[in-house]
Amino acid sequence: AQSVTQLGSHVSVSEGALVLLRCNYSSSVPPYLFWYVQYPNQGLQLLLKYTSAATLVKGINGFEAEFKKSETSFHLTKPSAHMSDAAEYFCAVKHSGAGSYQLTFGKGTKLSVIP
Amino acid sequence: DAGVIQSPRHEVTEMGQEVTLRCKPISGHDYLFWYRQTMMRGLELLIYFNNNVPIDDSGMPEDRFSAKMPNASFSTLKIQPSEPRDSAVYFCASSLGPGQGTSISSYNEQFFGPGTRLTVL
């Protein structure tokens, strides 16, 4: 069964500092991996996705993530945090198996940006 | 496209009452998902449909919960009777399925609605 683990339920960074949100996955087959962002009182919005093409994936708002099979990781980074990045971030993995389109989400990491 | 539409955005009800949450997926999407989000349990998949047919309802907590999709543009999630522990934010999401002209990366992306915040007193 596929699963994801997000290290750290809360991360605080200063404005302009590097953002690093960690995600490790467990999957018996090459996974499809996603990062979603949730702003307060809103639904989830896709930031980026890995679907077995390039291992370095660029998303919206300057975020990117690198798929590392040897480390079973898909960490999310952004070189310079902006106040508007304050939100909750979710890593997700798609279930394997023909005809399966379910995603399993991590518990989420709440990002705070300090001015 | 307006995206996934959910109604109501907020619902406050008393224990024992019936609650119906509504969702309109993005036109042309083959899959519809219902999720529940709580502080304690995070984001949980309750049920999902493919072409209006329920595929996996193993996440539905108990018989008090039921979901229907009478046509491609409408789905409901009903709780009867409601209990305080049902208080949560309920999300609907939709996605494309594999089909003519659909890339792998496209049909794996789920689009979420704004959610319904349910409070059961």
Side-chain angles (χ1 to χ4, degrees):
Chain A
Q2 287 72 32
S3 66
V4 290
T5 303
Q6 292 184 241
L7 275 177
S9 58
H10 284 87
V11 170
S12 290
V13 299
S14 298
E15 191 174 15
L18 171 72
V19 175
L20 171 61
L21 304 181
R22 299 177 186 274
C23 173
N24 288 88
Y25 69 89
S26 170
S27 176
S28 57
V29 297
Y32 291 166
L33 294 159
F34 305 80
W35 275 102
Y36 282 82
V37 60
Q38 184 179 28
Y39 298 103
N41 300 313
Q42 294 187 27
L44 279 70
Q45 178 185 358
L46 184 70
L47 267 181
L48 50 80
K49 57 191 171 188
Y50 168 75
T51 55
S52 72
T55 56
L56 182 61
V57 182
K58 294 187 184 299
I60 61 171
N61 302 338
F63 284 93
E64 62 181 37
E66 186 172 8
F67 173 72
K68 291 187 177 181
K69 184 178 178 181
S70 61
E71 299 177 8
T72 61
S73 68
F74 190 57
H75 301 331
L76 182 70
T77 60
K78 181 174 180 178
S80 176
H82 193 272
M83 295 299 293
S84 61
D85 296 326
E88 191 159 15
Y89 294 79
F90 293 88
C91 184
V93 62
K94 174 185 170 296
H95 287 213
S96 64
S100 176
Y101 298 98
Q102 296 169 259
L103 298 180
T104 294
F105 287 85
K107 295 291 188 184
T109 298
K110 190 163 288 188
L111 175 67
S112 299
V113 181
I114 304 165
Chain B
D1 199 315
V4 176
I5 298 172
Q6 290 187 248
S7 65
R9 292 293 311 274
H10 301 272
E11 176 81 32
V12 181
T13 190
E14 292 189 347
M15 183 174 64
Q17 295 298 306
E18 176 181 303
V19 174
T20 299
L21 311 182
R22 296 172 176 79
C23 174
K24 177 178 168 54
I26 293 173
S27 177
H29 279 192
D30 302 301
Y31 285 81
L32 184 139
F33 305 82
W34 281 102
Y35 291 90
R36 177 172 68 177
Q37 185 179 40
T38 60
M39 291 288 289
M40 292 297 294
R41 301 173 69 91
L43 199 62
E44 305 172 275
L45 177 66
L46 300 177
I47 185 172
Y48 79 96
F49 295 82
N50 175 214
N51 292 324
N52 314 336
V53 176
I55 302 300
D56 187 344
D57 64 355
S58 60
M60 297 285 262
E62 48 198 275
D63 292 344
R64 297 184 298 106
F65 285 69
S66 63
K68 294 182 179 179
M69 192 164 186
N71 57 62
S73 59
F74 183 65
S75 176
T76 59
L77 178 67
K78 185 178 291 187
I79 309 172
Q80 179 185 22
S82 57
E83 297 182 3
R85 61 194 168 116
D86 302 330
S87 297
V89 180
Y90 291 81
F91 289 104
C92 176
S94 69
S95 71
L96 287 167
Q100 195 169 18
T102 307
S103 67
I104 289 176
S105 64
S106 294
Y107 70 70
N108 281 289
E109 178 178 349
Q110 293 184 16
F111 294 81
F112 281 75
T116 296
R117 183 174 296 276
L118 173 64
T119 302
V120 183
L121 303 174

